[in-house]
Amino acid sequence: VVVVASSADRTPRTDRHRVVVIGAGFGGLRVARGLADAPVDVTIVDANNFHTFQPLLYQVATAGLDTDDIAYPVRGIFRRQANVDVRLASVTAVDLDGRRVHTDRGEPLAYDTLVVAAGTVSHDFGIPGVAEHTLPLKTVSDAVALRSALLARFEDAALTADDGGGALDVVVCGGGPTGVEMAGGLAELYQRVLARDFPRLDVGGARITLVEAAGQLLGTFHPSLGERARRTLERRGVEVITSAPVARIDEGRVELAGGRVITAATIVWAAGVRASPVAELLGVELGRGGRIVVGADLDVPGHREVFAIGDVAIDPAAPLPQVAQPAIQGGRHVAAEIVRRLEGRPSEPFPYRDKGSMATIGRHDAVAEFPSGRRLHGIVGWLAWLVLHLVYLMGFRNRANVLVNWAWNYLTYDRASRLLSTRP
Ligand SMILES: Cc1cc2nc3c(=O)[nH]c(=O)nc-3n(C[C@H](O)[C@H](O)[C@H](O)COP(=O)(O)OP(=O)(O)OC[C@H]3O[C@@H](n4cnc5c(N)ncnc54)[C@H](O)[C@@H]3O)c2cc1C
């Protein structure tokens, strides 16, 4: 007989199968939700008390949305799921033999099944100066810090009447979806909003430069879409430099391989990520980008009771991109796999279904491609991008807020979220 805990009693039952999930990102949430009706107790551990919808971080950084539009409290998500407990803590060690997860707060967590869904961190690829002199865009705090830095540059320039010499210039390093979206968002913020807020500054003279190491923008997309993104950005005033790996960064200065130097007061690092340091804590085999090597059913070879999913994991036989869908589908698969094993049914391989990729370049323009080979761009691509992001956003309130903000921004060319609450 399975005794399901009532919502009033969330004490984990020691006789039930214990699942610990590290990370409340796209993957971790799907695992816990997928176990709603299973006879297990789930503890989900995250360093933040909220889930972040990373695809819209660039909109927080460019003042289009506010933080709580794109983040959602983890406890709120599981309020009605009695078999889930939430721990706000950072994972500091994983003892695979003793089956325990150590965290910086509270007692170690014992598990029968462990799911690692800890995502990625910003990575500098060993390029000198990146850590010291650039602003990453990976977390909610990064996005707010970036927005504050940009707004503070404008306020300083207004005070000193110094808008020359690169005071308002920005270089975005990395021409993948994040860099393209950031550059497009910045161009809109500068031209449509800050130019009106600061009429005495020569905002039109500020340079926004996007630098990419490869020969095309959006390297994972068809070259025609990369070319389209370049043309749209250039039309909107962004200088795009491709085939130009960053060699080193100093304060206010980006040096490219070949010696070209670009100066800018703000340098954004959107060039890459590597697996969360949690991966190394396991002491198992790591693959490209420090990702945990997993088998076809997403468990860790030699440790059937440990799964890794999403950005932090890689199956070398079928590597998947570090985007939301592999994490979402991997989370659902692992939840089903845990139930299958508890019921003594055979394991099944992870059946990933590619749903396509998208990136927006700004108002009225986005690119999308689908496994069928179909490609979308322009306003149709942009509308598809808007709808999909609303659908996947967590929580009705967030969706409603984002919809209202987007409608407001669209109709008024304004950006509501440009408060400078803390001076950088
Ligand atoms: C700026 C940006 C834009 C993006 N845009 C898109 C897009 O348009 N479309 C798309 O499909 N994908 C996009 N992605 C990628 C997408 O967000 C990731 O692929 C997805 O979030 C991966 O999900 P995950 O569950 O593996 O990890 P995440 O969602 O990153 O979640 C990992 C969780 O683990 C927690 N964690 C990490 N270390 C610890 C620790 N030591 N202790 C406790 N908790 C820990 C983190 O706090 C986090 O909540 C974007 C990413 C970024 C950064």
Side-chain angles (χ1 to χ4, degrees), residues 229-281:
R230 171 198 278 272
R231 282 202 310 271
T232 306
L233 285 174
E234 286 176 345
R235 222 175 30 247
R236 295 179 183 190
V238 176
E239 185 185 355
V240 178
I241 306 175
T242 47
S243 306
V246 172
R248 69 171 289 125
I249 302 211
D250 295 294
E251 192 173 351
R253 185 177 178 280
V254 178
E255 186 180 326
L256 304 178
R260 179 171 174 189
V261 169
I262 311 165
T263 55
T266 310
I267 305 169
V268 181
W269 188 252
V273 291
R274 66 172 281 116
S276 156
V278 170
E280 283 169 19
L281 299 178

Side-chain angles (χ1 to χ4, degrees), residues 77-95:
I77 297 169
F78 294 106
R79 192 180 285 163
R80 290 195 183 84
Q81 191 175 331
N83 69 343
V84 172
D85 196 13
V86 178
R87 181 183 288 194
L88 168 65
S90 268
V91 171
T92 50
V94 179
D95 173 4

Side-chain angles (χ1 to χ4, degrees), residues 142-198:
D142 291 343
V144 173
L146 184 45
R147 181 177 76 191
S148 302
L150 289 166
L151 296 175
R153 306 267 191 261
F154 274 80
E155 294 297 345
D156 291 345
L159 196 63
T160 58
D162 173 16
D163 51 4
L168 305 179
D169 294 354
V170 186
V171 176
V172 179
C173 304
T178 300
V180 165
E181 294 182 346
M182 188 65 206
L186 277 172
E188 282 180 13
L189 175 69
Y190 271 45
Q191 290 151 18
R192 310 273 194 192
V193 184
L194 296 177
R196 286 191 288 164
D197 277 4
F198 296 88

